[in-house]
């Protein structure tokens, strides 16, 4: 079948984009390129850890406000790729988000090996690079197919607080979420 055509593509021309993953492929993490190390944002700075591109299904979304992380990231997306895009699999999972965590469960037997769920899904803290990207992220809904292109980062506020992204796709628990500075949002 032909590849899906984007419904909406929003990019920040001032934000350098990393190499993009292919349609339906696993997330792509690439080395930080020359000339990219720090992004200055309203509430502090972001240190680039790696280029990042993910083509995924939105398993859940949760908006945040009023806390320190929300100054950087007003939205979390729980994303699934590979077998975690399958409608029958997702229908058997109870997916929820709260307090910057993504949780899932099932009744009876798991619809997929739990290790495969871990390797093919993650909670991601989205840091919009500009107002247009923030608006595009606001439009993303559960079950959408999206491509997010940007940078895995460590955020630092002016008070000394920091928030570091995971740089692997197979970790769980505290510190396992990706913190993504978003340069481009594509909805399919």
């Amino acid at each position: 079948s032909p590849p899906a055509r984007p419904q909406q593509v929003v990019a920040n021309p001032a934000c350098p984009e990393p190499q993009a993953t292919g349609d339906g492929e696993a997330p792509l993490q690439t080395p930080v390129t020359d000339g990219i190390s720090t992004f200055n944002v309203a509430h502090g700075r972001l240190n680039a850890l790696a280029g990042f591109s993910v083509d995924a299904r939105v398993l859940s979304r949760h908006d945040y406000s009023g806390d320190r992380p929300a100054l950087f990231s007003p939205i979390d997306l729980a994303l699934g790729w590979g077998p975690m895009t399958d409608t029958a699999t997702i229908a058997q999972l109870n997916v929820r988000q709260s307090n910057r965590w993504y949780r899932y469960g099932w009744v009876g037997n798991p619809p997929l090996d739990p290790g495969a769920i871990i390797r093919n899904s993650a909670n991601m803290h989205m840091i919009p690079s500009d107002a247009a990207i923030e608006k595009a992220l606001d439009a993303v809904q559960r079950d959408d197919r999206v491509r997010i292109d940007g940078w895995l980062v460590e955020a630092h506020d002016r008070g000394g607080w920091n928030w570091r992204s995971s740089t692997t796709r197979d970790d769980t628990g505290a510190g396992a979420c990706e913190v993504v500075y978003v340069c481009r949002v594509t909805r399919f």
Side-chain angles (χ1 to χ4, degrees):
S1 67
R5 295 187 189 274
Q7 295 175 340
Q8 179 188 40
V9 179
V10 177
N12 175 351
C15 188
E17 293 180 34
Q19 181 180 347
T21 190
D23 286 351
E25 292 183 4
L28 179 64
Q29 185 172 308
T30 54
V32 174
T33 54
D34 289 341
I36 296 174
S37 61
T38 302
F39 302 102
N40 293 313
V41 294
H43 301 286
R45 75 177 192 287
L46 308 173
N47 293 340
L49 303 173
F52 187 68
S53 178
V54 59
D55 181 344
R57 183 170 179 170
V58 179
L59 305 174
S60 181
R61 67 167 282 148
H62 197 284
D63 297 339
Y64 293 91
S65 63
D67 65 358
R68 187 176 261 175
L71 295 174
F72 291 91
S73 172
I75 181 175
D76 280 7
L77 297 176
L79 299 176
W81 51 89
M84 286 295 290
T85 62
D86 180 67
T87 300
T89 298
I90 295 168
Q92 297 178 59
L93 291 172
N94 175 15
V95 175
R96 60 202 181 285
Q97 290 171 283
S98 65
N99 299 318
R100 297 288 179 172
W101 289 78
Y102 150 59
R103 294 172 178 86
Y104 51 86
W106 54 84
V107 175
N109 293 324
L112 193 62
D113 172 70
I117 295 172
I118 291 167
R119 288 186 305 277
N120 291 282
S121 67
N123 191 52
M124 300 194 186
H125 311 306
M126 299 291 157
I127 301 175
S129 61
D130 68 7
I133 295 292
E134 185 167 9
K135 185 176 178 182
L137 289 169
D138 284 342
V140 171
Q141 298 299 315
R142 182 183 196 114
D143 291 325
D144 282 353
R145 179 178 160 212
V146 296
R147 175 174 291 130
I148 304 290
D149 299 304
W151 300 89
L152 298 179
V153 296
E154 182 172 23
H156 300 270
D157 76 3
R158 292 181 179 87
W161 173 84
N162 69 329
W163 195 21
R164 186 177 178 86
S165 178
S166 166
T167 55
T168 67
R169 306 294 85 75
D170 59 358
D171 50 358
T172 63
C177 296
E178 283 71 16
V179 180
V180 184
Y181 184 57
V182 181
C183 298
R184 177 184 295 262
V185 177
T186 305
R187 288 176 62 216
F188 295 91

